[in-house]
């Protein structure tokens, strides 16, 4: 398989991949096994670019301590090491599996600049975090008065919120008592036409995927 191909006309490519992905001769046995696992012994029928996959997979397994399925998922869906690192960071930040992160999630988080964060406000605690399940950001407010609330927001809305001079002013003008948020999946808490009568209070399921460092502020409410 791959180890045998070092001797044939493709040996230059094999050696190039070994250098590029820091694969030792001892690792070639593992690469060979990966190629058999993922290409069903049809390596001679695939392109040179595909031959590189097992080397990349082994590289990720060596460097990042990933299992073969996680490494293959990255290699199969993204082209560069920089993109692999982005996906791994998103998964780590959100405490989800690498294979839970999809291309749209990466685009959204990269557009926003980070998967999660906090906004300073005199009203209380305000967090934003990307929900893999919903494919959008959630703005979570834990004000000093009232119930915690959660609002799905787009990347552009999040940018407007973060760039506003005063979160309180932006919130009161654009979000508070705005019924459009009450009908969005993932919304809960102090939303709807009457802030004192929320359409649905938040429960533990609403915060199940929230980053752990934020959960401490909502556990007393649920």
């Amino acid at each position: 398989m791959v180890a045998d191909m070092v001797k044939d006309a493709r040996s230059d490519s094999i050696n190039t991949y070994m250098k590029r992905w820091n694969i030792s001769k001892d690792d070639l046995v593992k690469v060979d096994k990966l190629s058999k696992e993922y290409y069903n012994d049809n390596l001679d029928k695939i392109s040179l670019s595909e031959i590189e996959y097992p080397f990349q997979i082994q590289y990720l397994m060596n460097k990042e301590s990933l299992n073969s399925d996680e490494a293959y998922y990255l290699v199969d869906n993204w082209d560069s090491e920089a993109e692999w690192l982005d996906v791994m960071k998103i998964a780590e930040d959100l405490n989800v599996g690498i294979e839970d992160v999809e291309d749209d999630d990466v685009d959204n988080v990269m557009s926003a600049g980070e998967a999660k964060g906090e906004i300073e406000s005199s009203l209380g605690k305000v967090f934003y975090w990307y929900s893999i399940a919903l494919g959008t950001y959630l703005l979570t407010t834990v004000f000093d008065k009232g119930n915690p609330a959660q609002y799905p927001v787009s990347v552009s809305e999040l940018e407007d919120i973060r760039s506003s001079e005063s979160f309180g002013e932006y919130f009161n003008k654009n979000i508070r008592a705005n019924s459009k948020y009450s009908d969005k999946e993932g919304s809960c808490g102090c939303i709807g036409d009457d802030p004192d009568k929320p359409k649905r209070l938040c429960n533990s399921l609403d915060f199940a995927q929230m980053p752990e460092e934020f959960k401490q502020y909502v556990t007393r409410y649920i």
Side-chain angles (χ1 to χ4, degrees):
M1 205 45 138
V2 169
D4 294 333
M5 293 181 66
V6 176
K7 302 174 183 177
D8 71 14
R10 293 179 174 179
S11 59
D12 288 342
S13 296
I14 298 299
N15 289 324
T16 296
Y17 299 150
M18 289 177 65
K19 292 178 182 178
R20 181 179 299 167
W21 301 110
N22 196 27
I23 301 299
S24 67
K25 289 184 178 179
D26 291 339
D27 280 335
L28 269 184
V29 176
K30 300 175 184 177
V31 172
D32 186 45
K33 182 178 179 181
L34 286 169
S35 67
K36 292 175 180 177
E37 179 178 353
Y38 289 108
Y39 300 125
N40 297 317
D41 290 325
N42 290 320
L43 193 60
D44 290 335
K45 299 179 181 178
I46 65 174
S47 67
L48 281 174
S49 61
E50 290 176 300
I51 293 173
E52 189 172 7
Y53 284 5
F55 292 86
Q56 295 171 324
I57 293 168
Q58 189 61 50
Y59 168 78
L60 285 168
M61 292 172 66
N62 289 347
K63 183 181 179 183
E64 305 296 341
S65 299
L66 304 183
N67 63 47
S68 61
D69 288 338
E70 292 170 330
Y72 182 76
Y73 181 76
L74 292 175
V75 168
D76 196 40
N77 287 282
W78 291 277
D79 296 327
S80 69
E81 185 172 6
E83 291 174 306
W84 303 337
L85 293 173
D86 287 339
V87 176
M88 287 187 285
K89 186 176 189 316
I90 291 171
E92 181 180 6
D93 286 346
L94 298 177
N95 195 30
V96 299
I98 287 172
E99 294 171 85
D100 293 324
V101 181
E102 298 183 356
D103 200 39
D104 287 344
D105 302 321
V106 177
D107 289 342
N108 287 332
V109 173
M110 291 298 102
S111 295
E114 57 188 352
K116 59 185 178 181
E118 183 173 353
I119 298 172
E120 291 188 10
S121 173
S122 60
L123 297 175
K125 291 291 184 180
V126 181
F127 311 111
Y128 58 87
W129 53 284
Y130 187 79
S131 169
I132 292 289
L134 297 175
T136 191
Y137 277 89
L138 291 173
L139 182 73
T140 304
T141 60
V142 189
F143 295 155
D144 296 334
K145 296 181 180 180
N147 298 304
Q150 202 149 259
Y151 310 87
V153 295
S154 66
V155 171
S156 61
E157 287 175 316
L158 179 60
E159 290 177 356
D160 290 340
I161 293 168
R162 291 189 300 186
S163 62
S164 63
E165 294 184 4
S166 168
F167 172 80
E169 290 181 8
Y170 183 95
F171 179 81
N172 288 329
K173 180 181 178 181
N174 299 284
I175 299 177
R176 184 186 294 275
N178 188 337
S179 60
K180 82 170 187 176
Y181 289 100
S182 62
D183 297 326
K184 289 185 176 181
E185 185 178 4
S187 60
C188 63
C190 190
I191 51 178
D193 297 325
D194 185 351
D196 295 323
K197 296 180 181 179
K199 293 187 176 181
R200 185 175 72 82
L201 290 175
C202 298
N203 58 49
S204 58
L205 293 178
D206 294 303
F207 303 126
Q209 299 302 316
M210 173 184 280
E212 289 298 323
E213 63 266 36
F214 299 159
K215 285 185 179 180
Q216 60 179 305
Y217 298 101
V218 300
T219 51
R220 70 179 186 272
Y221 296 99
I222 54 179

